[in-house]
Structures are given as structure tokens and as C-alpha cells.
Amino acid sequence: MARKKKKEALTVEDILEKFRDAETYWKPLHGQMERGHKIFNLKLEVEAPKGYNVIDPGTGNTIVMTAADHIAGDAPKVQVPEAGLSKRAQERSEALEKGFEAALYRFERAQNEIVQRTLAINGLWSGMLVSQGPLFDPDAWGLEPVESEYEDAEAYTSDKDEYEIGKRLNWPFLWKAVDPRYVYPDPGTTGREWVIVSYERTAGSIKAQWSSWDMRLPGASDQDKPLPAGSKIQWLEFWSKAKRAYLVGHVGSGSQSSFWGGAKEVDLIRDHRYGKPPFQIRSAGYGNDSGLPEERFRSIFFAAESLIPAEIRAYSHRDALIRNTAWTQMLTLIGSGF
């Protein structure tokens, strides 16, 4: 009987090697996403002569929000195909549809946002829709009472009933939209093998999530003071088919330099038992399946990349003309004594 090959332990250096490779692969697309993000938030920078006020018309934001209104409804309908023509198959399909719609409702109640709408908006300005989850949150239910640890049967029954009530009231799963600019899927399968999420976080937010972290960066000793809660540092979240890891690194001039000096585990690298990276990554549908990420994941702005900056310049030029002609002449008349 053949023995199963023993799995090698995943190390921090293994994760950083994957991250460096993915950074290089996704860099052109992330640059494209940054531009789309600026267009959507009306912060696109254009060259203008000295003294010009740059006017950002709301075109970029309006395009995305109007499309999102048509795509993401407040109460999406779930359709489950019937497995057969029997009455039982029809009832099974209806039960699954109601269950999935109820789950969507519970996911929304557990978050501060409507997840499917956020996904639609992110996909429109970036070209990529990324969600994480469902993830089980054990803190939502707490620890189940163990009968052998109780001497009083009534106390156990009371705590057990309270625990069961909490299970019915508290939704223990997390499903959230993820900013595509900070997502690095494995280049081979686009997230089926592993996914890395890396961005800048405050030390206090990490400590709130992982109370066991000593709030120190790689290379710091026990004698060094912990970081202030407001310190911004690099955060790296790694998920493979079997493992997950949370790392922190130094702040540098960009994400590439921040982890090249090493990283530190916030929590031990563990098995997660989800069987796959808990991410859903899809194209917004405006690109070409050519293999290059910057061509597959195109935003809704792709066809108007040259038109939107031209519109900004036109609005800015008109503003300058008004100020330098009509408004200036009126000031001259008032101050000249005529």
C-alpha cells in the first residue's frame, strides 16, 4: 500500500516568494485599477496651466453608480434549477431558493454595507469583482457549554438554552467585498490555488483582531516598545487550499519594498479546512480573454479613457475663461470709477 506523501510545512519565506512573483504579474493591472479608482472618486489628475482650477465633472461616478443601479438590486432573486419533473424536485428547488435568499439577507445584516452592490461598484471601476467568504466566525456563538464541567444540572441547562438562543440570533458567517487593488491571486489559476491580500493597516486594528500579537515588527526585540495604535504598517493575508497566514511587515515606499526586509507572523500558520481559498474572483466582462490580466480585467471606463480627461480639461478651461474674461472685466469696471 502506497503511503501518502507528507505535506511540507508552509513558511513565511514561501509566502513572501509567492507574493513577490504575484506583485510583478499583477502590477500593470493594479496601475490600471488605480486610475479607474481616481476617475470614480473624481480625483483624476490632469495637467493644467498655472492658475487654472481643475474641475472634475461627475461623469466617472455617474457612469458607475447608474450601472450599479441596474445591476445590483436590493433584493436579488436566486434561481435553483429543478433536478427533475417531480413534485418533490420542485419543492426542493423552492426550499433552496428561499434558503439562499435568506442567507443573503443575513449576510447583509451582518455587514455595514450591501455586499452585492459594493461588488458591482468595485467591478465597474476596476474590472474585477472580489469577495471573501463565507468565513465562519466562532466569536459570534462563543463556547458551547460542556455538561461534564457543571456540577449543577440546572445551571448547565440554563447556559445551554442561552447558547442555543444565541445561535439562532447571531449570524456566524462573514462575507465581504474586497478592494481589488490589494488582491494578488496566483497567476496560474487566478485564485484557485492561493490568494494574497496586502494593504496598509493601523497597528491598533490588527491588535483588535488578533489580541495575541505583541505589536512589534520584524526584527524588533522584546525590549523595544510596542507600536502606537495609530501606526500604519503593511498587512499580508495569505490563503491557500489548506493553509492561512497573517503577516505584518515594515512600511516602505510601496508594497514591494515593505516585505522585502522580512515579515512577522501575527498568528501561527494554520490549516483552515475550507478546502479552497475562500475567495470569489470574476471579471466584470469588459475585457478580452487573452491571458494578460490588464486585458482580461477591464473597467467600464476603458472605452472612455481618453474622453474623461478631455472632459475635465474642457470644464477647467471654461472655468478659466470665465474668470479671466467676464469676471475680470466686471472687477475692472467697478474699480475704475465708470
Side-chain angles (χ1 to χ4, degrees), residues 250-293:
H250 296 287
V251 174
S253 57
S255 59
Q256 273 195 323
S257 61
S258 62
F259 284 103
W260 282 11
K264 180 178 179 180
E265 297 176 43
V266 171
D267 187 37
L268 294 176
I269 300 175
R270 302 177 187 270
D271 293 336
H272 57 66
R273 300 182 181 179
Y274 288 115
K276 62 178 288 293
F279 289 85
Q280 297 79 41
I281 301 174
R282 298 290 185 272
S283 168
Y286 298 103
N288 300 318
D289 190 12
S290 65
L292 296 175

mmCIF file of all heavy atoms in Angstrom, residues 250-293:
data_model
loop_
_atom_site.group_PDB
_atom_site.id
_atom_site.type_symbol
_atom_site.label_atom_id
_atom_site.label_comp_id
_atom_site.label_asym_id
_atom_site.label_seq_id
_atom_site.Cartn_x
_atom_site.Cartn_y
_atom_site.Cartn_z
ATOM 1 N N HIS A 250 7.356 45.900 7.439
ATOM 2 C CA HIS A 250 7.715 47.308 7.609
ATOM 3 C C HIS A 250 6.986 48.170 6.586
ATOM 4 O O HIS A 250 6.614 47.706 5.509
ATOM 5 C CB HIS A 250 9.217 47.492 7.440
ATOM 6 C CG HIS A 250 10.023 46.800 8.487
ATOM 7 N ND1 HIS A 250 10.100 47.251 9.781
ATOM 8 C CD2 HIS A 250 10.771 45.675 8.443
ATOM 9 C CE1 HIS A 250 10.878 46.449 10.486
ATOM 10 N NE2 HIS A 250 11.295 45.471 9.697
ATOM 11 N N VAL A 251 6.830 49.432 6.913
ATOM 12 C CA VAL A 251 6.273 50.386 5.966
ATOM 13 C C VAL A 251 7.398 50.881 5.076
ATOM 14 O O VAL A 251 8.463 51.272 5.555
ATOM 15 C CB VAL A 251 5.611 51.572 6.691
ATOM 16 C CG1 VAL A 251 5.170 52.620 5.693
ATOM 17 C CG2 VAL A 251 4.424 51.094 7.486
ATOM 18 N N GLY A 252 7.213 50.834 3.767
ATOM 19 C CA GLY A 252 8.220 51.310 2.826
ATOM 20 C C GLY A 252 7.591 52.198 1.786
ATOM 21 O O GLY A 252 6.450 52.649 1.931
ATOM 22 N N SER A 253 8.328 52.447 0.714
ATOM 23 C CA SER A 253 7.814 53.308 -0.353
ATOM 24 C C SER A 253 7.036 52.470 -1.355
ATOM 25 O O SER A 253 7.335 52.419 -2.526
ATOM 26 C CB SER A 253 8.983 54.006 -1.052
ATOM 27 O OG SER A 253 9.891 53.045 -1.548
ATOM 28 N N GLY A 254 6.021 51.781 -0.877
ATOM 29 C CA GLY A 254 5.234 50.902 -1.726
ATOM 30 C C GLY A 254 5.250 49.504 -1.177
ATOM 31 O O GLY A 254 6.087 49.127 -0.367
ATOM 32 N N SER A 255 4.290 48.688 -1.625
ATOM 33 C CA SER A 255 4.138 47.355 -1.058
ATOM 34 C C SER A 255 5.319 46.447 -1.375
ATOM 35 O O SER A 255 5.633 45.546 -0.622
ATOM 36 C CB SER A 255 2.841 46.718 -1.575
ATOM 37 O OG SER A 255 2.871 46.644 -2.989
ATOM 38 N N GLN A 256 6.015 46.683 -2.518
ATOM 39 C CA GLN A 256 7.130 45.809 -2.853
ATOM 40 C C GLN A 256 8.240 45.914 -1.825
ATOM 41 O O GLN A 256 8.765 44.906 -1.374
ATOM 42 C CB GLN A 256 7.672 46.167 -4.237
ATOM 43 C CG GLN A 256 6.946 45.452 -5.373
ATOM 44 C CD GLN A 256 7.730 45.537 -6.661
ATOM 45 O OE1 GLN A 256 8.344 46.541 -6.953
ATOM 46 N NE2 GLN A 256 7.695 44.494 -7.454
ATOM 47 N N SER A 257 8.619 47.122 -1.433
ATOM 48 C CA SER A 257 9.749 47.278 -0.519
ATOM 49 C C SER A 257 9.391 46.905 0.915
ATOM 50 O O SER A 257 10.255 46.604 1.711
ATOM 51 C CB SER A 257 10.236 48.727 -0.551
ATOM 52 O OG SER A 257 9.207 49.601 -0.130
ATOM 53 N N SER A 258 8.109 46.911 1.257
ATOM 54 C CA SER A 258 7.708 46.741 2.653
ATOM 55 C C SER A 258 7.962 45.351 3.183
ATOM 56 O O SER A 258 8.194 45.171 4.367
ATOM 57 C CB SER A 258 6.226 47.090 2.813
ATOM 58 O OG SER A 258 5.439 46.222 2.036
ATOM 59 N N PHE A 259 7.899 44.317 2.329
ATOM 60 C CA PHE A 259 8.080 42.951 2.791
ATOM 61 C C PHE A 259 9.421 42.354 2.368
ATOM 62 O O PHE A 259 9.722 41.233 2.738
ATOM 63 C CB PHE A 259 6.945 42.054 2.277
ATOM 64 C CG PHE A 259 5.661 42.251 3.022
ATOM 65 C CD1 PHE A 259 4.624 42.973 2.469
ATOM 66 C CD2 PHE A 259 5.478 41.728 4.300
ATOM 67 C CE1 PHE A 259 3.432 43.152 3.152
ATOM 68 C CE2 PHE A 259 4.297 41.907 4.990
ATOM 69 C CZ PHE A 259 3.278 42.620 4.416
ATOM 70 N N TRP A 260 10.209 43.092 1.588
ATOM 71 C CA TRP A 260 11.482 42.536 1.164
ATOM 72 C C TRP A 260 12.456 42.443 2.337
ATOM 73 O O TRP A 260 13.403 41.658 2.299
ATOM 74 C CB TRP A 260 12.086 43.377 0.039
ATOM 75 C CG TRP A 260 11.431 43.073 -1.278
ATOM 76 C CD1 TRP A 260 10.301 42.336 -1.479
ATOM 77 C CD2 TRP A 260 11.861 43.481 -2.559
ATOM 78 N NE1 TRP A 260 9.996 42.270 -2.805
ATOM 79 C CE2 TRP A 260 10.937 42.964 -3.504
ATOM 80 C CE3 TRP A 260 12.920 44.244 -3.020
ATOM 81 C CZ2 TRP A 260 11.066 43.171 -4.863
ATOM 82 C CZ3 TRP A 260 13.049 44.457 -4.373
ATOM 83 C CH2 TRP A 260 12.130 43.926 -5.295
ATOM 84 N N GLY A 261 12.225 43.217 3.379
ATOM 85 C CA GLY A 261 13.071 43.147 4.568
ATOM 86 C C GLY A 261 12.607 42.100 5.554
ATOM 87 O O GLY A 261 13.145 42.004 6.653
ATOM 88 N N GLY A 262 11.615 41.286 5.186
ATOM 89 C CA GLY A 262 11.121 40.238 6.069
ATOM 90 C C GLY A 262 9.711 40.522 6.542
ATOM 91 O O GLY A 262 9.167 41.611 6.339
ATOM 92 N N ALA A 263 9.126 39.547 7.170
ATOM 93 C CA ALA A 263 7.771 39.661 7.695
ATOM 94 C C ALA A 263 7.676 38.877 8.992
ATOM 95 O O ALA A 263 8.519 38.039 9.298
ATOM 96 C CB ALA A 263 6.749 39.150 6.688
ATOM 97 N N LYS A 264 6.629 39.160 9.749
ATOM 98 C CA LYS A 264 6.434 38.503 11.038
ATOM 99 C C LYS A 264 5.013 37.973 11.116
ATOM 100 O O LYS A 264 4.065 38.648 10.695
ATOM 101 C CB LYS A 264 6.692 39.499 12.176
ATOM 102 C CG LYS A 264 6.514 38.910 13.567
ATOM 103 C CD LYS A 264 6.824 39.945 14.627
ATOM 104 C CE LYS A 264 6.622 39.373 16.021
ATOM 105 N NZ LYS A 264 6.932 40.374 17.073
ATOM 106 N N GLU A 265 4.869 36.773 11.665
ATOM 107 C CA GLU A 265 3.545 36.177 11.826
ATOM 108 C C GLU A 265 2.776 36.881 12.940
ATOM 109 O O GLU A 265 3.298 37.091 14.028
ATOM 110 C CB GLU A 265 3.670 34.690 12.171
ATOM 111 C CG GLU A 265 4.315 33.857 11.089
ATOM 112 C CD GLU A 265 4.489 32.421 11.531
ATOM 113 O OE1 GLU A 265 3.559 31.871 12.146
ATOM 114 O OE2 GLU A 265 5.560 31.841 11.269
ATOM 115 N N VAL A 266 1.552 37.249 12.642
ATOM 116 C CA VAL A 266 0.654 37.767 13.671
ATOM 117 C C VAL A 266 0.033 36.608 14.448
ATOM 118 O O VAL A 266 -0.201 36.680 15.643
ATOM 119 C CB VAL A 266 -0.436 38.650 13.028
ATOM 120 C CG1 VAL A 266 -1.514 39.022 14.034
ATOM 121 C CG2 VAL A 266 0.184 39.905 12.440
ATOM 122 N N ASP A 267 -0.235 35.546 13.727
ATOM 123 C CA ASP A 267 -0.767 34.321 14.312
ATOM 124 C C ASP A 267 -0.083 33.153 13.621
ATOM 125 O O ASP A 267 0.430 33.283 12.510
ATOM 126 C CB ASP A 267 -2.287 34.258 14.119
ATOM 127 C CG ASP A 267 -2.925 33.084 14.849
ATOM 128 O OD1 ASP A 267 -2.461 32.777 15.958
ATOM 129 O OD2 ASP A 267 -3.858 32.488 14.313
ATOM 130 N N LEU A 268 -0.048 31.991 14.251
ATOM 131 C CA LEU A 268 0.603 30.834 13.664
ATOM 132 C C LEU A 268 -0.056 30.461 12.338
ATOM 133 O O LEU A 268 -1.263 30.611 12.164
ATOM 134 C CB LEU A 268 0.540 29.643 14.622
ATOM 135 C CG LEU A 268 1.330 29.774 15.939
ATOM 136 C CD1 LEU A 268 1.072 28.549 16.808
ATOM 137 C CD2 LEU A 268 2.811 29.956 15.675
ATOM 138 N N ILE A 269 0.744 29.990 11.380
ATOM 139 C CA ILE A 269 0.212 29.492 10.118
ATOM 140 C C ILE A 269 -0.573 28.216 10.402
ATOM 141 O O ILE A 269 -0.045 27.264 10.966
ATOM 142 C CB ILE A 269 1.344 29.225 9.116
ATOM 143 C CG1 ILE A 269 2.116 30.529 8.835
ATOM 144 C CG2 ILE A 269 0.800 28.632 7.828
ATOM 145 C CD1 ILE A 269 3.337 30.338 7.953
ATOM 146 N N ARG A 270 -1.846 28.215 10.033
ATOM 147 C CA ARG A 270 -2.740 27.117 10.426
ATOM 148 C C ARG A 270 -3.470 26.531 9.226
ATOM 149 O O ARG A 270 -3.571 27.153 8.167
ATOM 150 C CB ARG A 270 -3.790 27.616 11.428
ATOM 151 C CG ARG A 270 -3.244 28.228 12.704
ATOM 152 C CD ARG A 270 -4.392 28.735 13.556
ATOM 153 N NE ARG A 270 -3.930 29.477 14.710
ATOM 154 C CZ ARG A 270 -3.667 28.926 15.896
ATOM 155 N NH1 ARG A 270 -3.829 27.634 16.067
ATOM 156 N NH2 ARG A 270 -3.263 29.671 16.915
ATOM 157 N N ASP A 271 -4.031 25.338 9.430
ATOM 158 C CA ASP A 271 -4.986 24.759 8.478
ATOM 159 C C ASP A 271 -6.335 25.448 8.659
ATOM 160 O O ASP A 271 -6.746 25.728 9.796
ATOM 161 C CB ASP A 271 -5.144 23.258 8.718
ATOM 162 C CG ASP A 271 -3.883 22.479 8.403
ATOM 163 O OD1 ASP A 271 -3.073 22.979 7.592
ATOM 164 O OD2 ASP A 271 -3.686 21.388 8.966
ATOM 165 N N HIS A 272 -7.027 25.711 7.554
ATOM 166 C CA HIS A 272 -8.337 26.364 7.679
ATOM 167 C C HIS A 272 -9.512 25.431 7.369
ATOM 168 O O HIS A 272 -10.650 25.732 7.694
ATOM 169 C CB HIS A 272 -8.410 27.611 6.784
ATOM 170 C CG HIS A 272 -8.151 27.372 5.337
ATOM 171 N ND1 HIS A 272 -8.979 26.617 4.539
ATOM 172 C CD2 HIS A 272 -7.161 27.798 4.519
ATOM 173 C CE1 HIS A 272 -8.519 26.597 3.301
ATOM 174 N NE2 HIS A 272 -7.401 27.300 3.256
ATOM 175 N N ARG A 273 -9.274 24.325 6.662
ATOM 176 C CA ARG A 273 -10.279 23.286 6.419
ATOM 177 C C ARG A 273 -11.450 23.738 5.541
ATOM 178 O O ARG A 273 -12.509 23.122 5.568
ATOM 179 C CB ARG A 273 -10.813 22.732 7.749
ATOM 180 C CG ARG A 273 -9.729 22.100 8.609
ATOM 181 C CD ARG A 273 -10.301 21.518 9.879
ATOM 182 N NE ARG A 273 -9.230 20.937 10.714
ATOM 183 C CZ ARG A 273 -9.448 20.374 11.902
ATOM 184 N NH1 ARG A 273 -10.686 20.304 12.391
ATOM 185 N NH2 ARG A 273 -8.441 19.885 12.596
ATOM 186 N N TYR A 274 -11.274 24.787 4.768
ATOM 187 C CA TYR A 274 -12.317 25.175 3.815
ATOM 188 C C TYR A 274 -12.200 24.398 2.506
ATOM 189 O O TYR A 274 -13.136 24.382 1.714
ATOM 190 C CB TYR A 274 -12.250 26.677 3.518
ATOM 191 C CG TYR A 274 -12.713 27.551 4.658
ATOM 192 C CD1 TYR A 274 -11.836 28.407 5.311
ATOM 193 C CD2 TYR A 274 -14.042 27.511 5.085
ATOM 194 C CE1 TYR A 274 -12.258 29.208 6.357
ATOM 195 C CE2 TYR A 274 -14.468 28.309 6.139
ATOM 196 C CZ TYR A 274 -13.569 29.158 6.771
ATOM 197 O OH TYR A 274 -13.988 29.943 7.814
ATOM 198 N N GLY A 275 -11.041 23.799 2.252
ATOM 199 C CA GLY A 275 -10.855 23.013 1.052
ATOM 200 C C GLY A 275 -10.453 23.810 -0.175
ATOM 201 O O GLY A 275 -10.109 23.248 -1.207
ATOM 202 N N LYS A 276 -10.474 25.139 -0.085
ATOM 203 C CA LYS A 276 -10.122 26.034 -1.185
ATOM 204 C C LYS A 276 -9.890 27.417 -0.609
ATOM 205 O O LYS A 276 -10.345 27.713 0.497
ATOM 206 C CB LYS A 276 -11.245 26.099 -2.220
ATOM 207 C CG LYS A 276 -12.549 26.653 -1.663
ATOM 208 C CD LYS A 276 -13.628 26.759 -2.714
ATOM 209 C CE LYS A 276 -13.396 27.859 -3.698
ATOM 210 N NZ LYS A 276 -13.494 29.221 -3.078
ATOM 211 N N PRO A 277 -9.200 28.289 -1.335
ATOM 212 C CA PRO A 277 -9.116 29.679 -0.882
ATOM 213 C C PRO A 277 -10.517 30.289 -0.851
ATOM 214 O O PRO A 277 -11.241 30.215 -1.848
ATOM 215 C CB PRO A 277 -8.240 30.351 -1.944
ATOM 216 C CG PRO A 277 -7.463 29.237 -2.567
ATOM 217 C CD PRO A 277 -8.371 28.050 -2.540
ATOM 218 N N PRO A 278 -10.938 30.880 0.264
ATOM 219 C CA PRO A 278 -12.319 31.380 0.379
ATOM 220 C C PRO A 278 -12.532 32.716 -0.332
ATOM 221 O O PRO A 278 -12.888 33.725 0.292
ATOM 222 C CB PRO A 278 -12.508 31.504 1.890
ATOM 223 C CG PRO A 278 -11.142 31.808 2.400
ATOM 224 C CD PRO A 278 -10.176 31.054 1.520
ATOM 225 N N PHE A 279 -12.298 32.734 -1.623
ATOM 226 C CA PHE A 279 -12.462 33.947 -2.421
ATOM 227 C C PHE A 279 -13.231 33.608 -3.694
ATOM 228 O O PHE A 279 -13.134 32.493 -4.220
ATOM 229 C CB PHE A 279 -11.103 34.545 -2.809
ATOM 230 C CG PHE A 279 -10.352 35.170 -1.666
ATOM 231 C CD1 PHE A 279 -9.560 34.388 -0.845
ATOM 232 C CD2 PHE A 279 -10.439 36.523 -1.412
ATOM 233 C CE1 PHE A 279 -8.861 34.947 0.212
ATOM 234 C CE2 PHE A 279 -9.744 37.094 -0.363
ATOM 235 C CZ PHE A 279 -8.962 36.300 0.459
ATOM 236 N N GLN A 280 -13.979 34.589 -4.189
ATOM 237 C CA GLN A 280 -14.629 34.504 -5.489
ATOM 238 C C GLN A 280 -14.100 35.661 -6.331
ATOM 239 O O GLN A 280 -14.268 36.832 -5.933
ATOM 240 C CB GLN A 280 -16.149 34.579 -5.365
ATOM 241 C CG GLN A 280 -16.781 33.428 -4.583
ATOM 242 C CD GLN A 280 -16.664 33.593 -3.087
ATOM 243 O OE1 GLN A 280 -16.840 34.691 -2.563
ATOM 244 N NE2 GLN A 280 -16.373 32.519 -2.378
ATOM 245 N N ILE A 281 -13.456 35.362 -7.449
ATOM 246 C CA ILE A 281 -12.830 36.375 -8.295
ATOM 247 C C ILE A 281 -13.391 36.231 -9.702
ATOM 248 O O ILE A 281 -13.296 35.166 -10.311
ATOM 249 C CB ILE A 281 -11.295 36.218 -8.307
ATOM 250 C CG1 ILE A 281 -10.744 36.354 -6.882
ATOM 251 C CG2 ILE A 281 -10.658 37.252 -9.230
ATOM 252 C CD1 ILE A 281 -9.259 36.074 -6.772
ATOM 253 N N ARG A 282 -13.991 37.303 -10.200
ATOM 254 C CA ARG A 282 -14.612 37.276 -11.521
ATOM 255 C C ARG A 282 -14.269 38.563 -12.283
ATOM 256 O O ARG A 282 -14.042 39.616 -11.692
ATOM 257 C CB ARG A 282 -16.137 37.156 -11.408
ATOM 258 C CG ARG A 282 -16.630 35.895 -10.734
ATOM 259 C CD ARG A 282 -16.412 34.670 -11.594
ATOM 260 N NE ARG A 282 -16.986 33.481 -11.002
ATOM 261 C CZ ARG A 282 -16.361 32.689 -10.140
ATOM 262 N NH1 ARG A 282 -15.114 32.992 -9.762
ATOM 263 N NH2 ARG A 282 -16.942 31.613 -9.648
ATOM 264 N N SER A 283 -14.289 38.456 -13.597
ATOM 265 C CA SER A 283 -14.109 39.623 -14.450
ATOM 266 C C SER A 283 -15.430 40.369 -14.575
ATOM 267 O O SER A 283 -16.506 39.765 -14.537
ATOM 268 C CB SER A 283 -13.613 39.193 -15.821
ATOM 269 O OG SER A 283 -13.700 40.267 -16.745
ATOM 270 N N ALA A 284 -15.348 41.683 -14.750
ATOM 271 C CA ALA A 284 -16.556 42.488 -14.927
ATOM 272 C C ALA A 284 -17.164 42.299 -16.321
ATOM 273 O O ALA A 284 -18.293 42.722 -16.564
ATOM 274 C CB ALA A 284 -16.248 43.967 -14.705
ATOM 275 N N GLY A 285 -16.416 41.697 -17.224
ATOM 276 C CA GLY A 285 -16.974 41.383 -18.535
ATOM 277 C C GLY A 285 -16.684 42.393 -19.621
ATOM 278 O O GLY A 285 -17.260 42.306 -20.710
ATOM 279 N N TYR A 286 -15.755 43.327 -19.392
ATOM 280 C CA TYR A 286 -15.450 44.347 -20.390
ATOM 281 C C TYR A 286 -14.126 44.092 -21.098
ATOM 282 O O TYR A 286 -13.718 44.891 -21.944
ATOM 283 C CB TYR A 286 -15.398 45.742 -19.741
ATOM 284 C CG TYR A 286 -16.707 46.174 -19.129
ATOM 285 C CD1 TYR A 286 -16.893 46.129 -17.756
ATOM 286 C CD2 TYR A 286 -17.756 46.609 -19.923
ATOM 287 C CE1 TYR A 286 -18.096 46.510 -17.172
ATOM 288 C CE2 TYR A 286 -18.966 46.988 -19.360
ATOM 289 C CZ TYR A 286 -19.128 46.942 -17.989
ATOM 290 O OH TYR A 286 -20.316 47.312 -17.423
ATOM 291 N N GLY A 287 -13.434 42.992 -20.735
ATOM 292 C CA GLY A 287 -12.112 42.742 -21.289
ATOM 293 C C GLY A 287 -12.091 41.632 -22.321
ATOM 294 O O GLY A 287 -13.128 41.141 -22.774
ATOM 295 N N ASN A 288 -10.875 41.230 -22.679
ATOM 296 C CA ASN A 288 -10.649 40.157 -23.638
ATOM 297 C C ASN A 288 -9.891 39.029 -22.941
ATOM 298 O O ASN A 288 -8.937 39.276 -22.205
ATOM 299 C CB ASN A 288 -9.819 40.657 -24.831
ATOM 300 C CG ASN A 288 -10.507 41.777 -25.573
ATOM 301 O OD1 ASN A 288 -11.710 41.727 -25.790
ATOM 302 N ND2 ASN A 288 -9.751 42.789 -25.967
ATOM 303 N N ASP A 289 -10.295 37.814 -23.185
ATOM 304 C CA ASP A 289 -9.648 36.669 -22.549
ATOM 305 C C ASP A 289 -8.384 36.297 -23.319
ATOM 306 O O ASP A 289 -8.288 35.253 -23.957
ATOM 307 C CB ASP A 289 -10.617 35.480 -22.499
ATOM 308 C CG ASP A 289 -10.076 34.353 -21.629
ATOM 309 O OD1 ASP A 289 -9.097 34.600 -20.908
ATOM 310 O OD2 ASP A 289 -10.625 33.239 -21.679
ATOM 311 N N SER A 290 -7.386 37.182 -23.252
ATOM 312 C CA SER A 290 -6.142 36.984 -23.992
ATOM 313 C C SER A 290 -5.041 36.397 -23.142
ATOM 314 O O SER A 290 -4.009 35.998 -23.666
ATOM 315 C CB SER A 290 -5.663 38.321 -24.564
ATOM 316 O OG SER A 290 -5.331 39.199 -23.503
ATOM 317 N N GLY A 291 -5.228 36.368 -21.835
ATOM 318 C CA GLY A 291 -4.192 35.872 -20.949
ATOM 319 C C GLY A 291 -3.531 36.963 -20.136
ATOM 320 O O GLY A 291 -3.097 36.726 -19.011
ATOM 321 N N LEU A 292 -3.417 38.166 -20.670
ATOM 322 C CA LEU A 292 -2.841 39.278 -19.919
ATOM 323 C C LEU A 292 -3.879 39.822 -18.952
ATOM 324 O O LEU A 292 -5.005 40.136 -19.349
ATOM 325 C CB LEU A 292 -2.381 40.383 -20.872
ATOM 326 C CG LEU A 292 -1.249 40.022 -21.839
ATOM 327 C CD1 LEU A 292 -0.983 41.168 -22.794
ATOM 328 C CD2 LEU A 292 0.014 39.675 -21.062
ATOM 329 N N PRO A 293 -3.540 39.966 -17.676
ATOM 330 C CA PRO A 293 -4.545 40.423 -16.702
ATOM 331 C C PRO A 293 -5.094 41.805 -17.007
ATOM 332 O O PRO A 293 -6.280 42.071 -16.796
ATOM 333 C CB PRO A 293 -3.790 40.391 -15.369
ATOM 334 C CG PRO A 293 -2.350 40.386 -15.727
ATOM 335 C CD PRO A 293 -2.242 39.679 -17.031
#
